[in-house]
C-alpha cells in the first residue's frame, strides 16, 4: 500500500484554505448575485457555519476510527463493496471538481489575458504543472502552498485596499437582497463551497493526529470564510449588483479600475500572480486526492503511472467542455449538490458505525 510522509499543522491549514478560497477569483460571485442579490458577503458566512457542522460529522467519524483515513473507514462501516462504491463516488466527485476548476480558469484567462491562445496550449501547460506537483507528492504540495501563501495573501490584500477608492457603501442596499429566506436557503445549500475540508479525512494518516485535524478543519474553514466574505464584500462595494451579474471575473475587473495617477495604475499583474498560483495549488491538491483515493481503493503500490493516466484524463476532460456557459452550469451543479458527496457520505458512514457498533467508541 502506498504511503505518504507527514505534513505539519500549518501546512494542512494553508492547504485547505487555498483549496477552498481559490473559488473567489472566478465567476462564482457573479452567479451569487443572480441568486441572492447583494447579500453574498454574509450568505457565505451561513455556508461556513453549515460546513462547520458537516465537518464535525467528518471529525466524529475519524475519531471513532483513530489512525484510519476515510477510505478505510468506508470499508469498515459499510463493507468492502459499498465502501468501495462510496470511495469511488468521492474520487469521481473530486476529479469532476478539478476538471471544472481548470476549465473555468482556462475560459476566464482566455477572456481577459490570452484571447488568441488555443485551449489545448493553455490547458496543456497548466496540466503539466499539476502533473509535476502530483509526482512530487503531498509533502511537496503542502510545503509549496505554505511558501506561497504569504505572498498571495499580501497580493490579495493589496488589491482590496487599493480598490477602496472605488467603494460605494450605497451598493450594500437593499441590505436583505432578494429576501432573507433566499439568502438562508442558498447559504445552507451552497455549503459545499467549503467542501475541500474533506481532504483532511482523505489524508488523515499523513496529518498530526485527531486533535490537530479538528483544529486544521475549523481554522481552515474560518480563514476561508473571512477571505471569501471580504472578496464578496469588495465586489459589492465596487459594482452595483444589477451589473455584477454580467462580469466574468469581478476581482480582475476591480484590479483594472485601480488608478492613483501615473505612478500607480495597471496593478493586474499582482492579481494574476495571486490568481494563477492559488488556482494551481487548489486544482493540484484536488487532482492528487483523486489519484490518492484511486490508488488506495485498488490497493496499488506505485502512484506514478496513475499520476500520468490521471493527468491525461484531466487534460482530455477539460478540453471536452464547449464554452464558458457550460462550465458555469457545472459549477452551479457542484455548488448545489456537492454537500451530498463531502458531508452526507461521511454522515451515512457515521450513522452506520453507530448502528453496527463499529469503531473504537463501540468497544470502549
Amino acid at each position: 500500500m502506498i504511503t505518504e510522509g507527514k505534513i505539519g499543522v500549518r501546512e494542512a491549514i494553508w492547504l485547505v484554505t487555498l483549496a477552498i478560497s481559490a473559488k473567489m477569483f472566478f465567476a462564482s460571485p457573479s452567479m451569487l448575485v443572480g441568486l441572492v442579490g447583494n447579500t453574498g458577503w454574509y450568505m457565505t458566512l451561513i455556508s461556513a457555519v453549515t460546513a462547520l457542522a458537516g465537518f464535525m460529522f467528518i471529525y466524529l467519524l475519524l475519531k471513532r476510527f483513530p489512525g484510519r483515513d476515510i477510505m478505510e473507514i468506508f470499508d469498515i462501516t459499510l463493507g468492502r463493496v459499498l465502501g468501495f462504491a462510496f470511495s469511488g463516488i468521492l474520487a469521481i466527485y473530486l476529479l469532476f471538481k478539478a476538471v471544472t476548476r481548470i476549465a473555468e480558469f482556462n475560459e476566464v484567462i482566455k477572456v481577459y489575458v490570452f484571447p488568441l491562445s488555443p485551449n489545448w496550449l493553455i490547458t496543456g501547460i497548466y496540466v503539466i504543472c499539476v502533473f509535476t506537483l502530483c509526482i512530487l507528492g503531498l509533502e511537496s504540495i503542502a510545503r509549496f502552498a505554505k511558501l506561497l501563501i504569504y505572498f498571495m495573501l499580501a497580493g490579495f490584500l493589496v488589491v482590496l485596499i487599493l480598490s477602496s477608492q472605488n467603494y460605494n457603501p450605497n451598493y450594500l442596499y437593499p441590505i436583505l437582497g432578494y429576501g432573507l429566506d433566499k439568502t438562508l436557503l442558498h447559504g445552507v445549500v451552497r455549503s459545499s463551497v467549503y467542501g475541500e475540508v474533506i481532504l483532511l479525512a482523505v489524508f488523515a494518516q499523513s496529518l498530526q493526529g485527531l486533535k490537530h485535524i479538528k483544529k486544521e478543519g475549523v481554522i481552515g474553514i474560518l480563514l476561508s470564510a473571512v477571505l471569501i466574505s471580504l472578496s464578496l464584500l469588495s465586489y459589492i462595494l465596487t459594482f452595483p449588483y444589477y451589473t455584477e451579474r454580467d462580469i466574468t471575473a469581478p476581482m480582475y475587473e476591480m484590479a483594472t479600475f485601480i488608478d492613483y495617477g501615473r505612478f500607480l495604475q495597471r496593478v493586474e499583474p499582482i492579481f494574476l500572480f495571486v490568481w494563477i498560483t492559488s488556482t494551481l495549488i487548489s486544482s493540484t491538491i484536488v487532482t492528487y486526492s483523486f489519484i490518492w483515493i484511486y490508488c488506495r481503493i485498488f490497493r496499488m503500490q506505485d502512484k506514478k503511472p496513475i499520476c500520468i493516466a490521471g493527468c491525461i484524463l484531466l487534460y482530455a476532460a477539460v478540453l471536452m467542455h464547449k464554452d464558458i456557459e457550460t462550465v458555469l452550469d457545472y459549477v452551479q451543479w457542484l455548488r448545489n449538490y456537492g454537500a451530498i458527496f463531502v458531508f452526507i457520505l461521511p454522515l451515512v458512514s457515521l450513522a452506520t458505525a453507530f448502528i453496527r457498533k463499529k469503531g473504537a467508541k463501540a468497544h470502549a
Side-chain angles (χ1 to χ4, degrees):
M1 189 70 67
I2 60 171
T3 58
E4 276 281 6
K6 296 286 186 178
I7 63 173
V9 175
R10 289 186 179 180
E11 285 91 345
I13 290 173
W14 291 128
L15 202 56
V16 170
T17 303
L18 277 172
I20 295 172
S21 57
K23 306 177 184 72
M24 63 189 177
F25 300 124
F26 294 105
S28 294
S30 300
M31 292 192 296
L32 272 182
V33 170
L35 296 173
V36 298
N38 56 352
T39 63
W41 66 276
Y42 64 82
M43 188 220 75
T44 194
L45 301 178
I46 299 172
S47 299
V49 172
T50 307
L52 282 172
F55 174 68
M56 285 300 105
F57 294 127
I58 297 173
Y59 170 72
L60 290 174
L61 183 62
L62 295 174
K63 186 177 180 181
R64 195 172 180 88
F65 299 89
R68 299 184 182 274
D69 57 37
I70 197 166
M71 293 79 74
E72 292 178 315
I73 296 172
F74 282 159
D75 285 348
I76 295 170
T77 57
L78 303 168
R80 175 60 182 159
V81 175
L82 198 54
F84 178 92
F86 269 47
S87 297
I89 290 170
L90 179 59
I92 293 171
Y93 167 76
L94 291 172
L95 176 63
F96 184 60
K97 179 181 281 287
V99 169
T100 304
R101 187 160 302 175
I102 296 176
E104 189 176 9
F105 171 81
N106 187 17
E107 291 295 333
V108 174
I109 204 168
K110 275 181 63 64
V111 170
Y112 289 102
V113 186
F114 302 117
L116 301 180
S117 299
N119 285 340
W120 63 266
L121 178 61
I122 297 175
T123 305
I125 294 173
Y126 200 85
V127 171
I128 288 172
C129 296
V130 171
F131 169 74
T132 303
L133 286 173
C134 286
I135 286 291
L136 294 174
L138 179 64
E139 286 188 82
S140 297
I141 298 171
R143 283 164 176 74
F144 184 52
K146 183 181 177 182
L147 175 66
L148 291 178
I149 185 65
Y150 302 106
F151 299 101
M152 287 185 283
L153 285 176
F156 173 71
L157 292 176
V158 164
V159 172
L160 293 191
I161 292 171
L162 293 180
S163 296
S164 61
Q165 65 176 173
N166 300 313
Y167 291 168
N168 185 346
N170 292 324
Y171 292 158
L172 291 174
Y173 300 97
I175 199 69
L176 297 180
Y178 296 154
L180 187 59
D181 54 339
K182 291 185 177 180
T183 301
L184 288 171
L185 175 62
H186 288 292
V188 173
V189 169
R190 296 172 71 88
S191 60
S192 63
V193 168
Y194 301 90
E196 282 84 353
V197 73
I198 192 69
L199 301 181
L200 296 176
V202 173
F203 299 109
Q205 294 181 348
S206 297
L207 303 179
Q208 301 296 324
L210 282 171
K211 180 180 178 181
H212 295 295
I213 288 176
K214 181 178 181 181
K215 178 181 178 181
E216 291 155 2
V218 172
I219 295 177
I221 291 175
L222 292 178
L223 279 175
S224 302
V226 170
L227 292 175
I228 294 174
S229 182
L230 282 176
S231 66
L232 291 171
L233 181 60
S234 66
Y235 301 154
I236 292 166
L237 288 171
T238 304
F239 306 104
Y241 73 94
Y242 48 82
T243 63
E244 191 176 340
R245 289 175 294 183
D246 301 323
I247 301 174
T248 305
M251 177 159 276
Y252 186 87
E253 294 280 357
M254 285 172 50
T256 62
F257 288 165
I258 294 173
D259 187 352
Y260 287 88
R262 69 176 65 182
F263 298 108
L264 185 57
Q265 54 183 287
R266 305 298 298 180
V267 298
E268 298 95 308
I270 297 176
F271 168 76
L272 287 174
F273 170 78
V274 175
W275 180 26
I276 293 172
T277 51
S278 61
T279 306
L280 173 62
I281 296 172
S282 175
S283 53
T284 297
I285 188 58
V286 175
T287 303
Y288 187 72
S289 301
F290 159 74
I291 294 169
W292 182 258
I293 295 174
Y294 186 94
C295 291
R296 294 301 297 272
I297 62 178
F298 285 103
R299 292 174 167 81
M300 304 191 71
Q301 302 297 326
D302 187 4
K303 70 180 180 183
K304 291 182 180 179
I306 308 304
C307 287
I308 297 172
C311 287
I312 291 174
L313 177 62
L314 180 69
Y315 176 75
V318 170
L319 292 181
M320 288 176 64
H321 71 274
K322 294 180 180 179
D323 49 37
I324 193 169
E325 292 297 330
T326 305
V327 175
L328 294 182
D329 288 340
Y330 294 154
V331 172
Q332 189 77 334
W333 187 90
L334 285 172
R335 300 290 186 272
N336 290 335
Y337 302 104
I340 296 173
F341 306 99
V342 295
F343 298 134
I344 301 302
L345 293 184
L347 177 59
V348 171
S349 181
L350 179 62
T352 305
F354 274 109
I355 294 171
R356 300 181 63 187
K357 297 182 180 180
K358 297 280 187 177
K361 294 291 183 182
H363 302 290

